[in-house]
Amino acid sequence: MRRALIPLLAFCLGLVGLTGAAVFAFMPDRAPVGVPGVGGPFTLVDQNGRTVTERDFAGAPHLVFFGFTHCPDVCPTTLQQVSDVLAALGPKAERMRVAFVTVDPERDDPASLKTYLSSFDPRITGLTGSPEQIVATEKAYRAYARKVPGKDGDYTMEHTAIVYVMDAQNRFLGALDLSRPAEETAAQLSKKI
């Protein structure tokens, strides 16, 4: 009798373990495996001088891009591509917004951001702040920026050139692929949002 109980007990323990593993694997509120902690709280100032936080972007999918107004090529090209993607999204982009966070708060005050962004889609909001606020925002998004001295006391900025796709709860969904035509990028983005 005792010999019969040992296999039965082993079977029952295995069944309990398998049930526990199945429940754990199919729990609906688990965070996706491998999703990096990108994004987070910030307090900055927009091109109109208004205080803006990450909560102002919650409620709808949005894009975040780090750059600066004195950027010779990458930033204006990326902002134009983003503007084209928003246009290609059509009605699906009505509530969508874009945060253009400066990595050069020394030169990019609200007025210079407003002038610079007037050439792009009006859903793009320029954000600036103190150097400490900008560094904190860069860290939250795992972005990189570094001042590079130039000639005659001038400088440029090296920086991350990723366009972050964020969902309505400010969670990172991935990077926007701007290597394709705007219509293709918009179609891919519409699947994420």
Side-chain angles (χ1 to χ4, degrees):
M1 177 96 168
R2 218 173 210 199
R3 285 187 173 183
L5 281 176
I6 293 175
L8 182 61
L9 185 60
F11 173 77
C12 289
L13 286 173
L15 190 59
V16 168
L18 187 60
T19 302
V23 168
F24 179 75
F26 295 107
M27 285 174 53
D29 291 337
R30 284 189 338 141
V33 175
V35 174
V38 173
F42 63 80
T43 301
L44 298 170
V45 177
D46 73 7
Q47 71 266 29
N48 297 310
R50 185 176 68 95
T51 299
V52 175
T53 72
E54 76 287 348
R55 292 183 299 278
D56 291 298
F57 289 89
H62 54 281
L63 306 175
V64 178
F65 177 64
F66 290 84
F68 65 114
T69 63
H70 288 75
C71 181
D73 49 22
V74 172
C75 298
T77 300
T78 300
L79 290 171
Q80 185 57 56
Q81 290 171 316
V82 166
S83 296
D84 295 344
V85 168
L86 291 173
L89 274 170
K92 193 155 190 176
E94 285 177 11
R95 292 182 48 230
M96 189 160 207
R97 292 183 55 208
V98 180
F100 173 66
V101 182
T102 185
V103 295
D104 186 10
E106 188 177 320
R107 294 185 290 198
D108 290 344
D109 61 9
S112 62
L113 284 171
K114 188 170 193 160
T115 301
Y116 183 73
L117 291 174
S118 67
S119 300
F120 305 105
D121 191 285
R123 289 169 281 204
I124 301 173
T125 301
L127 299 175
T128 190
S130 70
E132 296 78 20
Q133 289 172 312
I134 296 299
V135 167
T137 306
E138 291 166 357
K139 284 184 181 178
Y141 282 84
R142 298 187 182 189
Y144 163 81
R146 182 175 77 87
K147 191 176 197 177
V148 179
K151 295 179 182 175
D152 302 322
D154 197 15
Y155 66 91
T156 189
M157 299 295 294
E158 286 182 358
H159 63 91
T160 301
I162 295 171
V163 177
Y164 300 83
V165 180
M166 308 299 285
D167 71 8
Q169 289 77 41
N170 285 319
R171 293 179 301 211
F172 178 64
L173 298 177
L176 188 63
D177 179 4
L178 294 170
S179 66
R180 300 176 286 194
E183 294 74 21
E184 289 179 31
T185 302
Q188 190 64 35
L189 178 58
S190 105
K191 292 176 186 174
K192 289 184 178 185
I193 60 171

